[in-house]
Amino acid sequence: MATVPASHPVVVLGAGWAGLTAALTLARAGVAVHLIEAAATAGGRARSLDRDGAELDNGQHVLVGACHATLDQLRSVGTNTDHAFAALPFGLRMHAPGRPHPALALEPRSPRLPALAGGLWKSLAGTPLHRRLPALLGAASILHRPLDEDHDVREWLQTHRQPDMLIRQLWEPLCLAVMNTPIRSASAQIFQNVLRLALNHGPDDARLLIPTRPLGSLYPEPALRELRERGATIETGRRIVAIEPGGPEARYQLRDRNHRVTYANAVILATAPSAAARLLPAAPELQPHHRALMAMGERSICTVYLRYPGPVLERPPLQGLIDQHGQWLIPRRVAGEPDWLAVVISTADDLPAMTAEERWRRVAEELERTFPELGIPQTGHVVCERRATIDARVDLDALRPVAGTPWPGLFLAGDYVTPGLPSTLEAAVRSGLESAHKLLETLP
Ligand SMILES: Cc1cc2nc3c(=O)[nH]c(=O)nc-3n(C[C@H](O)[C@H](O)[C@H](O)COP(=O)(O)OP(=O)(O)OC[C@H]3O[C@@H](n4cnc5c(N)ncnc54)[C@H](O)[C@@H]3O)c2cc1C
């Protein structure tokens, strides 16, 4: 069993899903862990909020069955993943404004290539035959042909002869959902990685998983419980402002706003990249990590929650919205909140400025035009996360820092560290596992 003196334990800084995973992995290996979190609650960018007595999340999250590391991690803290998610077979229904019937429905019997091809063929019904076949062949190589070099998603789709209609109605909303980055700058390589992960390994991996319970109860709360049981110390509401060499006391000292110091023999810095850039010591040998962190770029997501006067009529659990303010509609019935709908607005940085009320009213009006039976909501909330994800642009992987730094015992963790993936829970969990294992390798 690995040991670190409990007087100077390993500090994990940040109780998002990456930090919680790193802390649990270390604690399970017998390491003394001290977890420090600036916010009052754990969960970071995937946490629960109380609004009007309803427990909502800071953002509507959707996973796919291919998120194996995340699902395993949830199971390891006792979460029953069969009950924690509504699992939908892969399929997409996209609605244009004012048209209750889907403008595009891709609902293959399975995610295997022949069924996907059949589904795409149907959704290209209005396209002349001489364009349909090349589009279909192009879609097959989008899923199966490795890229020689990275391109932006739009250029890549055009090279693979995807008609404008299919780009607008299918690929663009899918790219926004997966990467939170516009197709004109998003990395085709990362987009393809995700498509291949989800669609090339059978129906289970391709399932869309919508949480049926608040995110906080799926992982952050049981993870904190287990950490406490294993003797880890946990401080919430404490913002660290500097990580410095610890002098004769220990390798590192972490200072907060009130000049209180915590000593540590090793640190896993598990914050979002902008916070990590501020906290990483400004030593010359750490400059490459600094440059990588500064180059990341971040993008926002707003989630609009609408509360109707009574239960919303039965709607499919996930519908795409084309040419509207938001891109995805998720009735909260799935999470036991039948009066509520959630609408996700990706890359919200590009939206015109509005007050929260103007925004939810605008979303509600657009929805009513498309689905008149919804009527007008009683109230709405807008939760905007300015730094929801990193900007998953072309050649991002070349910019990413690695988990280890030249300073012994100082590691980075977070959704931005995992190569090949956009900012997701899966990337965060994988990175937490990776940095903890790297650290364990250095312990006697
Ligand atoms: C609105 C929204 C929708 C999303 N949708 C999806 C989705 O559908 N599917 C999906 O897989 N992913 C989605 N994501 C992305 C996912 O939530 C993130 O990738 C993931 O939560 C990142 O986890 P993390 O641990 O890397 O970072 P974070 O969650 O950012 O954790 C970092 C933690 O460090 C703390 N911290 C920062 N500075 C300090 C400091 N100085 N001292 C102490 N603590 C500090 C922060 O408070 C935070 O708790 C979404 C995110 C948002 C915001």
Side-chain angles (χ1 to χ4, degrees):
M1 209 172 245
T3 51
V4 169
S7 51
H8 302 317
V10 173
V11 167
V12 176
L13 188 50
W17 288 45
L20 288 168
T21 302
L24 271 177
T25 308
L26 294 170
R28 286 172 182 169
V31 172
V33 174
H34 185 143
L35 178 63
I36 304 180
E37 165 58 47
T41 51
R45 279 171 278 157
R47 64 184 188 283
S48 302
L49 311 164
D50 194 322
R51 290 283 185 281
D52 278 357
E55 217 178 341
L56 304 171
D57 293 325
N58 67 315
Q60 174 65 55
H61 281 61
V62 179
L63 280 74
V64 288
C67 293
H68 294 293
T70 311
L71 295 172
D72 286 350
Q73 199 61 23
L74 262 57
R75 285 190 279 264
S76 81
V77 293
T79 297
N80 181 332
T81 51
D82 292 337
H83 298 156
F85 296 97
L88 319 176
F90 176 76
L92 300 168
R93 284 186 186 189
M94 311 303 298
H95 290 264
R99 288 169 50 187
H101 297 296
L104 182 145
L106 177 62
E107 291 173 313
R109 278 189 322 281
S110 95
R112 308 244 181 241
L113 194 57
L116 267 182
L120 263 181
W121 186 257
K122 267 199 221 156
S123 54
L124 284 165
T127 308
L129 211 55
H130 69 281
R131 297 234 173 93
R132 254 165 120 180
L133 196 58
L136 206 61
L137 294 173
S141 57
I142 281 172
L143 280 181
H144 290 278
R145 189 150 152 216
L147 272 86
D148 298 329
E149 55 179 325
D150 206 357
H151 298 276
D152 68 65
V153 168
R154 182 201 289 272
E155 186 192 332
W156 182 60
L157 295 171
Q158 285 168 342
T159 312
H160 287 87
R161 312 232 207 139
Q162 299 303 289
D164 286 348
M165 177 281 285
L166 204 58
I167 294 182
R168 202 170 50 81
Q169 297 190 345
L170 174 69
W171 294 117
E172 184 169 17
L174 206 51
C175 173
L176 286 174
V178 165
M179 325 246 284
N180 192 31
T181 304
I183 57 167
R184 60 179 185 276
S185 60
S187 158
Q189 181 63 73
I190 297 179
F191 191 37
Q192 189 193 45
N193 294 344
V194 176
L195 293 173
R196 294 178 75 167
L197 262 181
L199 297 178
N200 285 359
H201 304 279
D204 271 5
D205 279 9
R207 287 172 311 155
L208 302 170
L209 304 178
I210 304 179
T212 56
R213 290 177 12 210
L215 288 171
S217 71
L218 298 190
Y219 188 52
E221 289 159 20
L224 288 184
R225 242 188 333 267
E226 181 179 334
L227 282 169
R228 284 198 186 94
E229 280 163 16
R230 290 183 179 277
T233 44
I234 296 161
E235 284 185 284
T236 51
R238 182 172 179 218
R239 183 172 292 280
I240 296 299
V241 294
I243 302 172
E244 295 155 342
E249 277 291 333
R251 256 197 205 140
Y252 296 107
Q253 59 176 26
L254 295 94
R255 216 166 11 89
D256 65 21
R257 279 192 283 218
N258 304 319
H259 307 289
R260 188 153 72 85
V261 166
T262 296
Y263 291 100
N265 277 330
V267 177
I268 293 185
L269 181 48
T271 67
S274 49
R278 284 193 297 277
L279 287 164
L280 204 64
E285 60 277 20
L286 293 175
Q287 283 314 306
H289 274 77
H290 261 287
R291 274 196 295 277
L293 289 166
M294 301 302 285
M296 283 285 121
E298 291 164 319
R299 289 198 167 270
S300 65
I301 300 178
C302 294
T303 307
V304 174
Y305 289 106
L306 301 171
R307 179 182 207 155
Y308 289 80
V312 175
L313 290 179
E314 198 78 49
R315 299 220 64 79
L318 179 75
Q319 287 170 288
L321 306 170
I322 309 163
D323 298 334
Q324 302 187 42
H325 213 62
Q327 296 94 28
W328 298 96
L329 167 64
I330 294 121
R332 299 282 302 165
R333 178 185 292 274
V334 86
E337 307 275 4
D339 304 356
W340 291 83
L341 295 182
V343 174
V344 179
I345 309 176
S346 298
T347 61
D349 346 43
D350 297 344
L351 291 177
M354 277 183 205
T355 64
E357 176 156 355
E358 284 166 346
R359 185 140 358 255
W360 70 253
R361 286 197 185 280
R362 163 100 177 251
V363 167
E365 280 159 21
E366 286 180 345
L367 279 184
E368 200 214 357
R369 235 176 292 143
T370 308
F371 308 112
E373 71 278 13
L374 282 178
I376 302 292
Q378 188 178 309
T379 185
H381 294 285
V382 183
V383 187
C384 285
E385 290 273 354
R386 263 193 323 123
R387 299 190 168 118
T389 67
I390 49 170
D391 186 23
R393 60 189 184 276
V394 178
D395 284 332
L396 173 71
D397 274 353
L399 298 173
R400 288 187 207 263
V402 291
T405 73
W407 280 22
L410 179 59
F411 294 85
L412 298 178
D415 59 354
Y416 67 95
V417 183
T418 302
L421 290 184
S423 280
T424 48
L425 294 174
E426 179 71 5
V429 167
R430 284 195 199 181
S431 157
L433 292 168
E434 154 99 0
S435 58
H437 286 301
K438 284 249 147 64
L439 195 156
L440 285 171
E441 282 167 19
T442 68
L443 297 181

